[in-house]
Amino acid sequence: METAMTGANFRLTTKDFAVLEIMLERRRAFADPIVPMLEDKLSKAEVVAIDSVGSDIVTLNSRLVFRVDAGPAQTRTLVQNEVRGPVGSSLSIMTRRGLCMLGMAEGRTAWIEQADGRRESVLIATVLYQPEAARRAVREKSQAEARRPHGLTLVYSAAADWRPLGERAGMRQTGDDDPGPTAA
């Protein structure tokens, strides 16, 4: 049965695209019913460099909030394979829903035709975490720190009349003042 993903544009990173190509090769060998969906995804996807993918795009290992039809919001991490961990914390791209969500943008909706012929809509509500965006943020922070001398940051600048603790105010003497006694 053919599975359709309609209503959404997909942006796949070069890495995610390569993962799907390998998955397609392996699944074709076993006449897996998800093959048409994989072929459709790969043929319609816009492929982008890892460093230029938007932070609102679902990539592998992204943590996202989504809704299926009018159901409650669900939070999952999109993974390549099922991983060990708390039940319900991840969603594999080897499932129809997981494969559909890969490459979708926050706020977008796609429709999936399930194996039993039922159609469901999937809405990406929020991308909570995306590994590519997190790596960019760390890299940008380290570059900003490298521009600061010695890694120090000025957090407070004192007023011009400020004197260090323990420093005494010197005595001022004007021209017509009596200098007082001098030491002999």
Side-chain angles (χ1 to χ4, degrees):
M1 171 173 281
E2 185 151 331
T3 303
M5 293 178 294
T6 58
N9 297 326
F10 305 103
R11 284 193 194 102
L12 296 174
T13 64
T14 51
K15 176 187 168 206
D16 293 351
F17 189 84
V19 167
L20 291 184
E21 282 184 318
I22 292 168
M23 189 173 148
L24 177 61
E25 285 179 30
R26 291 181 180 161
R27 299 280 175 135
R28 273 187 182 147
F30 299 104
D32 193 315
I34 205 166
V35 166
M37 191 172 174
L38 272 165
E39 291 171 338
D40 188 51
K41 182 90 160 189
L42 289 168
S43 69
K44 293 180 180 175
E46 175 187 343
V47 181
V48 296
I50 290 174
D51 290 340
S52 64
V53 67
S55 59
D56 64 335
I57 303 294
V58 178
T59 62
L60 272 172
N61 301 313
S62 290
R63 185 126 180 99
L64 62 136
V65 178
F66 66 96
R67 291 184 188 281
V68 176
D69 294 329
Q74 301 178 47
T75 304
R76 301 280 188 279
T77 300
L78 197 64
V79 296
Q80 185 171 347
N81 298 313
E82 290 298 326
V83 293
R84 294 179 193 177
V87 173
S89 66
S90 62
L91 179 64
S92 172
I93 61 167
M94 294 186 181
T95 65
R96 293 174 193 273
R97 284 183 186 167
L99 180 58
C100 176
M101 289 186 228
L102 185 64
M104 283 181 64
E106 194 172 282
R108 300 294 300 226
T109 300
W111 290 267
I112 311 168
E113 185 179 325
Q114 292 293 348
D116 61 4
R118 185 176 41 90
R119 261 180 79 122
E120 62 183 25
S121 68
V122 177
L123 165 70
I124 304 298
T126 310
V127 178
L128 300 171
Y129 169 82
Q130 183 205 70
E132 293 80 6
R135 275 193 290 276
R136 276 194 306 270
V138 168
R139 187 171 45 245
E140 289 167 5
K141 182 179 177 186
S142 66
Q143 288 171 349
E145 288 173 355
R147 287 190 292 268
R148 282 186 269 160
H150 310 291
L152 301 177
T153 302
L154 178 64
V155 292
Y156 175 76
S157 184
D161 63 345
W162 175 83
R163 281 185 229 120
L165 276 174
E167 181 182 294
R168 292 184 174 189
M171 293 189 65
R172 282 188 346 185
Q173 191 172 5
T174 60
D176 60 339
D177 279 347
D178 177 20
T182 58

